[in-house]
Amino acid sequence: MKYKHIKGNEIKGELDIFVSHNEDEEGGVVTKWDEVLIHGNPEGLKSLAKLLLEIAELNQEEVENKYLPIGAREHYHLTPNIELSKSSNSVLIGRLDAKGTGDFYGRFITRDKN
């Protein structure tokens, strides 16, 4: 796979990504949670899927250090009114594993596995 070091305009079609802040009260107990909502037309969702596959399939070790240094992670910024709708939040999509080390960033906590 050829590495694309100049990024932008990856999303074709329409895509809206935003954070919904939710709150519910039951028996005097307030529960709050956030959700990330991703909505798009078929072309927008397919281009997001294509971008996710490109990031997942990229062999970071083969990317020149001037474009992706050791310890860095491949990522794309999706910007409102450019790749995303004007009503979207800014979004960063990227790899969890760092080039050269495979390390995950410090705030990551793996899910419980059953």
Side-chain angles (χ1 to χ4, degrees):
M1 166 182 289
K2 187 171 165 63
Y3 182 69
K4 182 180 178 187
H5 67 275
I6 298 175
K7 299 173 175 116
N9 295 310
E10 277 73 28
I11 302 299
K12 309 301 180 211
E14 300 293 338
L15 196 61
D16 190 42
I17 301 176
F18 62 98
V19 177
S20 173
H21 306 286
N22 302 289
E23 185 175 303
D24 192 20
E25 182 196 350
E26 187 174 318
V29 177
V30 176
T31 304
K32 296 181 181 184
W33 70 98
D34 294 334
E35 291 179 302
V36 176
L37 287 86
I38 302 171
H39 297 110
N41 67 357
E43 186 180 17
L45 291 170
K46 287 177 185 177
S47 64
L48 177 61
K50 180 182 175 204
L51 177 60
L52 291 171
L53 285 171
E54 286 177 10
I55 294 169
E57 293 174 348
L58 176 69
N59 183 342
Q60 297 183 124
E61 306 308 317
E62 293 180 0
V63 177
E64 292 180 57
N65 286 342
K66 68 181 180 179
Y67 299 126
L68 189 67
I70 301 295
R73 295 165 178 86
E74 177 62 4
H75 65 280
Y76 282 73
H77 294 268
L78 302 180
T79 306
N81 201 35
I82 298 176
E83 292 88 8
L84 304 174
S85 66
K86 288 181 181 181
S87 54
S88 288
N89 292 107
S90 295
V91 175
L92 189 143
I93 298 173
R95 290 279 290 266
L96 192 56
D97 56 315
K99 176 183 176 182
T101 66
D103 292 340
F104 295 174
Y105 46 77
R107 71 161 299 281
F108 177 76
I109 301 170
T110 192
R111 69 179 184 270
D112 292 336
K113 297 182 175 121
N114 299 334

